[in-house]
Amino acid sequence: MGLHSRQAERVDLALRPGVDAYAFVCMDDFSISPAAEPPLDDSQIACLRDAMVPYAVDWRRRQMLFTLHASRDFAAGHAFLYQAQREQAQQGVLVSFDALDALFPASLPPTGVTFLFSVGRCGSTLAADLLGAVGIPSASEPGVYEQLVAGHRRSWLNRRDRARVIRATTRALSAFVGEPLVVKLRAQCTIVAREIAVATQGRCAMILRALEPWAMSTYRAFGQWPDNRPDELAWRYANAVRVFDVLTRAGRRPQLVWYEDMLRDPATLLQAVGAQAPVSAPQQQALAATYQRDSQEGLSIGRAGSSARMHADVLQEFKHRWARQAPHRLLHRYGIADRL
């Protein structure tokens, strides 16, 4: 199937002022205009494929925006992939959903992708940095997977389109970043974890953290937002455990990584993502250096920027809510209860 000009178009990008640093990505983050260059033919679009990084989708127009980057390490020094795209992208390619299968066919990777899910505030950004220290490619919080969450309750969305977008996003990241690829996902993506895992047949891993330190860290980073009420926090952790069960029953049981174990030894993380090669002496030094710095340094959610404190009465309310909402049967089935 060929790619007609109306199905894939090179465009110029300009980041709009005032884009929320932590908001889900969307097409409107950029002002998009046709590129000054002549329209690209099929072969030219295909040649751009290895420089294309997925950024966002427009579900109604059935289009996907890829940003163009010459360097594979353009996101180095950024905690999240979408930050680097927003800062650096000047050109991109708009691709119709109907052209995605031709541009990123099933014959392309991934052959070895791991999706790293988490409940949030449990070291997933550190995990991505640790993987980088030993040379394992990772993509930290690609925005398209987050848009699946935003569209989760839209009944008009075509399931076939969603699966096509998931596969194209994963293949594009594998082609650009390299393999074996680890995709570190935002905590909200647990909502669509099964959909992602089934569409890609990828390996899954999940990071959890002891309950009370997790709640206090979440509160410290974000304060009492509407989503950080004690009852909401309890629901969020319980939901992560249920997602673990859902993935297991779908035949994609996640490798479980505990934050506390990862802090002591990166081996638990490396095993979870299927790393086989022994860690060299230079990599050991790189790992030690990674542990010494804040993976979210410079962000408001980093150590220096976190200021809110979870008072004793709020913590007590959270514990009360957790006792009522906890999926006790699943906690014991998967050996999670003993670690909380």
Side-chain angles (χ1 to χ4, degrees):
M1 172 181 168
L3 301 176
H4 307 297
S5 59
R6 62 183 176 83
Q7 293 181 313
E9 177 186 10
R10 190 164 183 164
V11 293
D12 291 327
L13 303 174
L15 185 68
R16 297 183 188 275
V19 173
D20 186 337
Y22 299 109
F24 283 2
V25 302
C26 67
M27 294 282 238
D28 288 342
D29 291 345
F30 289 100
S31 175
I32 302 174
S33 57
E37 294 92 338
L40 301 171
D41 60 26
D42 289 5
S43 62
Q44 290 172 314
I45 289 287
C47 286
L48 285 175
R49 182 171 56 202
D50 289 348
M52 293 166 58
V53 182
Y55 182 77
V57 294
D58 185 323
W59 296 112
R60 290 194 180 277
R61 294 182 179 178
R62 301 184 68 249
Q63 288 182 315
M64 188 166 173
L65 173 64
F66 297 79
T67 57
L68 288 172
H69 303 275
S71 173
R72 292 183 181 274
D73 61 355
F74 80 96
H78 293 79
F80 311 121
L81 178 63
Y82 63 82
Q83 289 180 317
Q85 290 174 280
R86 286 171 175 169
E87 288 183 11
Q88 300 180 34
Q90 297 181 343
Q91 283 200 320
V93 180
L94 273 177
V95 181
S96 164
F97 287 179
D98 293 327
L100 289 175
D101 289 339
L103 190 57
F104 298 99
S107 58
L108 287 180
T111 57
V113 61
T114 300
F115 292 97
L116 187 58
F117 299 99
S118 80
V119 72
R121 300 306 297 175
C122 55
S124 60
T125 306
L126 169 63
D129 288 350
L130 292 173
L131 294 172
V134 298
I136 297 177
S138 67
S140 182
E141 302 191 5
V144 173
Y145 299 105
E146 298 168 4
Q147 287 191 287
L148 294 165
V149 179
H152 186 58
R153 297 185 182 279
R154 297 176 185 173
S155 59
W156 51 266
L157 281 184
N158 186 309
R159 290 186 179 181
R160 182 177 299 176
D161 278 350
R162 290 171 65 90
R164 181 180 289 158
V165 165
I166 292 170
R167 288 192 294 267
T169 298
T170 308
R171 290 169 185 160
L173 289 171
S174 294
F176 185 89
V177 179
E179 289 204 340
L181 171 69
V182 176
V183 180
K184 191 272 275 193
L185 296 168
R186 213 168 186 170
Q188 291 91 331
C189 289
T190 55
I191 296 173
V192 290
R194 185 185 186 281
E195 186 178 12
I196 292 172
V198 170
T200 62
Q201 294 297 295
R203 173 194 291 261
C204 297
M206 182 177 287
I207 306 180
L208 294 179
R209 183 176 184 177
L211 193 64
E212 290 184 24
W214 169 78
M216 289 187 286
S217 176
T218 303
Y219 201 90
R220 183 170 61 251
F222 302 112
Q224 193 173 1
W225 288 2
D227 289 343
N228 286 333
R229 301 187 314 270
D231 59 326
E232 177 63 28
L233 288 176
W235 177 89
R236 196 183 309 168
Y237 203 105
N239 183 66
V241 176
R242 294 188 182 98
V243 168
F244 187 97
D245 177 60
V246 167
L247 288 170
T248 300
R249 288 188 284 109
R252 317 306 305 174
R253 177 168 179 163
Q255 296 293 313
L256 188 56
V257 179
W258 286 95
Y259 170 73
E260 292 79 7
D261 293 344
M262 186 174 66
L263 284 184
R264 289 190 295 267
D265 186 351
T268 180
L269 171 67
L270 300 180
Q271 291 168 4
V273 301
Q276 302 293 331
V279 178
S280 66
Q283 289 174 340
Q284 290 282 9
Q285 295 175 348
L287 287 169
T290 301
Y291 277 121
Q292 293 301 314
R293 65 175 181 267
D294 182 0
S295 296
Q296 296 177 334
E297 184 176 359
L299 303 177
S300 63
I301 57 175
R303 296 171 193 162
S306 302
S307 58
R309 293 294 181 268
M310 195 176 210
H311 298 295
D313 58 335
V314 179
L315 179 59
Q316 189 61 37
E317 177 64 16
F318 165 73
K319 292 165 67 176
H320 172 70
R321 296 283 185 170
W322 171 253
R324 297 180 60 183
Q325 296 189 41
H328 297 287
R329 180 176 54 84
L330 298 180
L331 292 172
H332 289 283
R333 173 183 298 174
Y334 296 117
I336 298 172
D338 295 338
R339 296 297 304 265
L340 294 181

